[in-house]
Amino acid sequence: MLPFVFDDTFGFEQYVDYALDVPMYFVYRNKTYIDCTGMSFRDFMAGKLPQVPGELPTLNDWENHLTTIFPEVRLKRYMEMRGADGGPWRRLCALPAFWVGLLYDDESLQSIIDMTSDWTKEEREMLRRKVPVTGLKTPFRDGYVRDLAEDVLQLAKNGLERRGYKEVGFLREVDEVVRTGD
């Protein structure tokens, strides 16, 4: 997780600064991948990559570089929620529906902000570390992650309902996971 995304002052500029300094893997030229391991895109922008001396990056170079950065949420032309970027076919539409219900509805989004705004860095790190091991049974504050999952799922459902496109059914699989813990 990128700690700066939780700052009240977070903006795209901070993400770009972060991405500029994430070590590169390659530059693609003439159907060939040129190894640039460990170099920064910031150096590339200054024409300082020894592998392609004096050459400046293209927009395609930047887009390629962004695909090699692996935070939990990756900013592209959209937000890629990487924490659950796989899973069974029957859940394929559940993840986008979940996020649409939370992020595309002002009321649900504000509820999520209110719910999480006082979480500490230590609590977020604890959740990131323990939830993959103990799942919905992970203790959190005065309850369990299951309680939190029920609340967040309801917010996603409410957000989808307010959109009026009959998308709530896509969350059935998530509902089942939250209900059973499996």
Side-chain angles (χ1 to χ4, degrees):
M1 284 190 294
L2 306 175
F4 60 85
V5 301
F6 298 100
D7 296 343
D8 290 337
T9 59
F10 172 69
F12 290 109
E13 185 176 350
Q14 288 168 290
Y15 188 82
V16 169
D17 283 341
Y18 154 77
L20 286 171
D21 294 322
V22 170
M24 295 176 63
Y25 285 111
F26 63 85
V27 170
Y28 189 70
R29 293 290 183 273
N30 302 317
K31 299 181 182 180
T32 303
Y33 288 94
I34 301 167
D35 184 0
C36 294
T37 305
M39 304 303 295
S40 78
F41 203 87
R42 190 179 303 274
D43 289 339
F44 192 10
M45 289 184 63
K48 295 180 181 176
L49 286 189
Q51 298 86 339
V52 285
E55 192 168 330
L56 297 176
T58 64
L59 182 57
N60 194 50
D61 291 322
W62 176 244
E63 289 173 351
N64 282 337
H65 177 60
L66 291 178
T67 67
T68 66
I69 299 173
F70 300 103
E72 291 298 319
V73 177
R74 188 162 47 189
L75 296 180
K76 294 183 174 183
R77 293 181 177 168
Y78 52 88
M79 290 182 357
E80 179 185 13
M81 309 308 218
R82 297 191 60 260
D85 61 357
W89 179 255
R90 68 184 184 280
R91 294 185 186 149
L92 184 65
C93 293
L95 187 62
F98 177 79
W99 287 114
V100 165
L102 294 176
L103 300 178
Y104 286 45
D105 177 75
D106 290 340
E107 191 174 325
S108 291
L109 178 58
Q110 188 59 54
S111 294
I112 288 293
I113 291 168
D114 294 343
M115 179 187 298
T116 61
S117 64
D118 68 338
W119 292 8
T120 66
K121 177 184 176 188
E122 292 76 23
E123 286 174 320
R124 291 189 304 267
E125 287 296 332
M126 180 278 296
L127 289 169
R128 186 173 192 273
R129 204 175 47 255
K130 290 188 176 182
V131 168
V133 177
T134 55
L136 298 174
K137 297 175 186 167
T138 306
F140 184 66
R141 294 192 172 181
D142 295 330
Y144 293 90
V145 167
R146 174 185 238 141
D147 305 319
L148 182 62
E150 289 170 350
D151 293 344
V152 172
L153 180 58
Q154 189 59 55
L155 289 172
K157 288 179 182 179
N158 294 346
L160 291 175
E161 286 287 343
R162 283 189 287 273
R163 282 172 48 89
Y165 294 112
K166 300 181 181 178
E167 301 161 307
V168 175
F170 293 121
L171 295 177
R172 279 190 206 105
E173 290 290 330
V174 179
D175 217 352
E176 181 69 13
V177 169
V178 170
R179 190 179 62 72
T180 64
D182 293 332

